[in-house]
Amino acid sequence: MVYQAYMDSLEKNQPPSDLSPGLLALWWDKKGDWGKAHDATQPGGQEADWVHAYLHRKEGDQGNASYWYNRSSKTKPSCSLDQEWENIVRALSTN
């Protein structure tokens, strides 16, 4: 999905049907539903694991976050959660 279309979709009540698990999880996270966001990462895979790591970092469970960053082959960032959210969305969407 194109980045701007993804951002525009956040104005709606339901996510687009064609989102990858990672983008779906981040969509629900932005809407304030951590549980749905976490559930969306459950198929696993590198992309979903990266978002899973972000979600546990946001939750404050740094040990669990570290585990998922390792699984996703990503380094835990030192940026804000908002910046990490945007960085992941940009990485997973097309421009």
Side-chain angles (χ1 to χ4, degrees), residues 70-88:
N70 186 52
R71 274 187 55 128
S72 69
S73 300
K74 301 292 182 185
T75 302
K76 187 188 315 186
S78 58
C79 64
S80 70
L81 290 166
D82 288 338
Q83 185 62 57
E84 183 180 12
W85 184 93
E86 183 168 338
N87 292 346
I88 298 171

Side-chain angles (χ1 to χ4, degrees), residues 38 52-53 56 59 61-69:
H38 188 261
H52 200 156
H56 282 294
E59 178 189 35
D61 186 346
Q62 300 309 313
N64 204 354
S66 293
Y67 169 80
W68 289 103
Y69 281 113

